[in-house]
Amino acid sequence: TINDDIFLIRMYHINNKKVLHFQDITLFEIYKQAKKDFVSNVSHELKTPIAVMKGIVETLEQEEDVQTIRKFLNMAKKRIDQMDSLINDLLILAKLESKEEKLNITKADLSRIVNSIFNDLEHLSKEKNIKLINDIPEGFLIDVDQKKFDILLKNLIENAIKYNKPEGSVTVSAERKDGEILINVTDTGIGIPKESQPLIFERFYRVDKSRSRNVGGTGLGLSIVKHIAEAHNGKVEVKSEPNVGSTFTVRIPERRDG
Ligand code: ADP
């Protein structure tokens, strides 16, 4: 190891001379480690709900009271939903990473997409009386892969609701600037500490593990967002202040060829 880089050294004999061959395998090692971490993270994420379900089933075997049985079945359902979301997110990530799927770019009305996501998430926002504000003018057209962009925005808006305070608000706005389209999702929630901000786009990173699991997160949402933004040659950025709120901004180039 030299300066944190890892080298594989091979020795050859060529024309009676010894030749040392150094190969930098740092990236390969990092990749191997990341893969190991990923598998162990996924296993851990599945182990917890399975352990809980096992406990529930064992309790149900002895239980006769219908009310209690219902309560436990409800708990089991929550865990099944949790595993279902995790598998869904893993499949989305796997597809995005394999890059086998090309983007299917069409013109989309951003305001309509946002309204339809607001509709889908109404049950969640009502739980905490959170106001959903769509600040995008009608007819704001963007060239995107609609299915993927839907997933991206849904993840950001869902987080903005989940990590919000009761009676808070979520605002989605957009603007064109210097050949780019900027889409902002702003919340009045718990915010993200500065030191965590660069890490939240990593797979399975959570600022507060127990809170995130309570609100039903898989820990994969923001890495999916990042992948989809990058697939559109764009990026995603965050500005946040603890206890005040966060703004996630997706920037994608304005396409002129479609
Ligand atoms: P999760 O499924 O846990 O929500 P994400 O990848 O979507 O996973 O987000 C990673 C972490 O970033 C979350 O666990 C949470 O701690 C933090 N986070 C994401 N969005 C917000 C937000 N709008 N406000 C505060 N924290 C957030």
Side-chain angles (χ1 to χ4, degrees):
T1 306
I2 306 169
N3 289 340
D4 285 341
D5 284 355
I6 302 164
F7 288 87
L8 179 69
I9 307 169
R10 291 194 184 91
M11 194 177 74
Y12 301 102
H13 287 274
I14 302 177
N15 297 337
N16 281 336
K17 284 191 182 124
K18 279 183 183 163
V19 176
L20 283 178
H21 176 255
F22 288 75
Q23 184 185 356
D24 181 350
I25 55 166
T26 316
L27 273 180
F28 178 64
E29 286 300 321
I30 289 172
Y31 170 75
K32 261 196 348 202
Q33 188 56 43
K35 210 169 149 194
K36 245 195 235 164
D37 291 350
F38 183 63
V39 172
S40 95
N41 274 327
V42 172
S43 314
H44 179 76
E45 295 291 329
L46 286 172
K47 237 179 138 63
T48 316
I50 287 172
V52 175
M53 299 249 298
K54 197 168 171 225
I56 291 173
V57 171
E58 280 164 9
T59 315
L60 283 177
E61 274 173 346
Q62 328 272 336
E63 188 56 60
E64 275 167 17
D65 176 52
V66 178
Q67 291 282 55
T68 316
I69 292 175
R70 285 223 177 98
K71 202 178 99 196
F72 275 97
L73 285 176
N74 233 338
M75 281 161 68
K77 193 171 171 292
K78 273 200 186 136
R79 296 301 173 158
I80 292 171
D81 287 344
Q82 189 185 347
M83 289 192 280
D84 197 37
S85 310
L86 176 62
I87 303 290
N88 266 336
D89 278 359
L90 283 171
L91 287 173
I92 292 171
L93 256 186
K95 260 196 192 161
L96 285 166
E97 286 188 345
S98 76
K99 296 202 171 90
E100 69 193 28
E101 267 193 344
K102 284 236 161 72
L103 289 189
N104 177 21
I105 303 279
T106 54
K107 280 220 181 302
D109 185 324
L110 186 58
S111 180
R112 274 202 204 163
I113 299 182
V114 171
N115 276 338
S116 135
I117 296 172
F118 279 0
N119 258 335
D120 288 349
L121 297 176
E122 209 181 332
H123 62 285
L124 206 63
S125 62
K126 277 198 169 149
E127 278 173 21
K128 284 197 289 184
N129 211 9
I130 285 162
K131 207 166 156 198
L132 303 177
I133 303 160
N134 181 353
D135 243 357
I136 299 162
E138 254 180 65
F140 193 102
L141 297 178
I142 53 172
D143 292 313
V144 288
D145 182 314
Q146 283 212 41
K147 264 196 191 153
K148 295 200 169 71
F149 223 71
D150 232 58
I151 296 173
L152 175 152
L153 283 174
K154 197 167 181 182
N155 269 305
L156 288 180
I157 296 170
E158 196 171 336
N159 279 348
I161 299 172
K162 282 191 320 192
Y163 301 107
N164 217 317
K165 296 176 191 158
E167 318 289 326
S169 68
V170 174
T171 309
V172 186
S173 64
E175 60 177 318
R176 288 182 176 30
K177 201 176 165 191
D178 305 329
E180 276 187 320
I181 289 172
L182 276 65
I183 303 162
N184 303 305
V185 179
T186 302
D187 66 59
T188 53
I190 59 171
I192 304 159
K194 201 137 214 94
E195 63 277 13
S196 296
Q197 290 175 19
L199 301 171
I200 53 174
F201 298 98
E202 298 293 322
R203 295 186 288 199
F204 295 117
Y205 181 84
R206 293 166 171 120
V207 177
D208 177 342
K209 291 199 184 342
S210 58
R211 187 198 309 253
S212 168
R213 286 214 187 82
N214 279 341
V215 293
T218 64
L220 294 174
L222 286 179
S223 64
I224 291 174
V225 167
K226 186 173 169 219
H227 262 92
I228 296 176
E230 286 172 358
H232 285 81
N233 292 324
K235 55 181 163 182
V236 52
E237 292 159 356
V238 62
K239 282 205 180 91
S240 181
E241 205 178 315
N243 275 320
V244 177
S246 315
T247 294
F248 283 82
T249 302
V250 176
R251 316 163 71 105
I252 53 165
E254 222 175 331
R255 286 165 64 100
R256 292 184 194 86
D257 49 25

